[in-house]
Amino acid sequence: MQDYYSLYTWAMDKQAHLRREAKQQRLARHSRYLTPLTKLGWPLARRKDERKAA
């Protein structure tokens, strides 16, 4: 029974590790496109008040 538990915990740890890596890769991929815009100071979202005035 101990072998099954250790195999299960290893699999859960491995899955969590892979999910963390995938999340970091997604964030890095998306941040590549946003960094030039943020350096220029462009607003990424407009407020409701600005939409009505425009």
Side-chain angles (χ1 to χ4, degrees):
M1 189 68 178
Q2 186 66 25
D3 292 334
Y4 294 118
Y5 181 73
S6 62
L7 181 63
Y8 175 78
T9 55
W10 174 84
M12 290 293 114
D13 290 342
K14 182 71 172 177
Q15 185 179 20
H17 177 72
L18 291 174
R19 285 184 178 175
R20 280 193 302 271
E21 282 185 350
K23 184 178 181 180
Q24 288 175 350
Q25 289 174 357
R26 277 194 309 274
L27 289 173
R29 186 171 51 241
H30 290 294
S31 68
R32 279 187 227 148
Y33 299 114
L34 289 178
T35 48
L37 294 177
T38 54
K39 287 181 183 176
L40 292 174
W42 290 356
L44 299 177
R46 296 174 65 178
R47 296 184 192 140
K48 290 181 182 178
D49 299 341
E50 293 174 353
R51 287 186 202 147
K52 290 178 184 175

